[in-house]
């Protein structure tokens, strides 16, 4: 079984601006953090709530384009994300098909993590999730994965400690 670092996206890998589909600004050490995960032979997987899609602020295509930009900038530094999991659902979504009172994928629910564990053959007990909100940690724990709360600072230093 593989090991993985699950990354929350907004506020952990990239600066949360509310317009992430347009502006990509990395958090300190984020690119290096992903590369360290790659170099350690662990999977690097993004687990992100994207209620902005449900709210009608941007579309799935905008988000995929943003992820492609992330991958291009990572590739330029010799790094990569192995998988992106996103949840567009929200209880008060403006777009009806994205309206769900308590969707199993929306963090703090663990649906995205559970799917990644299954699809990649990941050992939950040997993996970790890092995110900047309590709901990230709760989702991780519900999936049997250790959660690490990111309070800012150099992400690559934190990841290096966690991989050691
Ligand atoms: Mg976040």
């Amino acid at each position: 079984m593989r090991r993985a670092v699950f990354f929350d996206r907004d506020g952990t890998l990239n600066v949360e601006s509310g317009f992430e589909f347009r502006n990509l600004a990395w958090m300190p050490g984020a690119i290096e953090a992903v590369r360290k995960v790659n170099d350690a032979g662990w999977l690097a997987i993004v687990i992100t709530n994207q209620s902005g899609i449900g709210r009608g602020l941007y579309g799935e295509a905008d988000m995929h384009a943003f992820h492609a930009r992330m991958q291009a900038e990572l590739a330029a530094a010799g790094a990569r994300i192995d998988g992106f999991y996103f949840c567009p659902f929200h209880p008060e979504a403006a777009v009806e098909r994205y309206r769900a009172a308590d969707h199993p994928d929306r963090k703090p629910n663990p649906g995205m993590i559970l799917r990644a564990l299954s699809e990649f053959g990941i050992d939950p007990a040997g993996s970790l999730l890092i995110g900047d909100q309590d709901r990230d940690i709760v989702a991780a724990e519900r999936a049997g994965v250790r959660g690490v709360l990111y309070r800012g600072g150099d992400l690559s230093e934190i990841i290096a400690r966690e991989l050691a």
Side-chain angles (χ1 to χ4, degrees):
M1 292 184 91
R2 311 272 321 259
R3 305 177 87 180
V5 174
F6 297 102
F7 290 97
D8 168 53
R9 201 193 78 181
D10 303 331
T12 302
L13 285 177
N14 57 277
V15 176
E16 181 147 27
S17 73
F19 298 96
E20 285 84 3
F21 64 102
R22 260 186 260 160
N23 305 312
L24 171 53
W26 295 90
M27 294 295 284
I31 290 176
E32 182 64 21
V34 174
R35 191 170 63 199
K36 282 181 173 161
V37 173
N38 301 148
D39 291 348
W42 295 35
L43 293 160
I45 296 178
V46 168
I47 300 287
T48 180
N49 282 354
Q50 289 299 315
S51 66
I53 295 170
R55 294 173 198 272
L57 301 176
Y58 49 91
E60 291 195 28
D62 300 310
M63 180 204 63
H64 289 307
F66 183 82
H67 291 170
R69 279 174 55 201
M70 292 179 80
Q71 290 285 46
E73 295 193 15
L74 287 165
R80 66 167 193 287
I81 296 292
D82 295 296
F84 287 91
Y85 291 80
F86 69 98
C87 176
F89 302 99
H90 188 272
E92 283 130 39
V95 184
E96 192 178 348
R97 70 179 177 280
Y98 295 126
R99 203 174 302 142
D102 186 28
H103 196 282
D105 278 0
R106 182 169 167 77
K107 296 180 284 186
N109 291 333
M112 292 187 281
I113 305 168
L114 293 173
R115 202 159 66 249
L117 291 172
S118 168
E119 290 178 354
F120 283 90
I122 296 164
D123 171 22
S127 300
L128 65 99
L129 179 146
I130 187 160
D132 69 320
Q133 296 198 24
D134 289 341
R135 68 182 175 206
D136 297 313
I137 308 308
V138 173
E141 288 171 354
R142 287 178 178 173
V145 172
R146 189 165 60 90
V148 176
L149 188 62
Y150 174 57
R151 300 172 186 278
D154 189 310
L155 192 63
S156 73
E157 288 177 8
I158 296 166
I159 288 299
R161 278 200 302 275
E162 295 293 338
L163 292 173

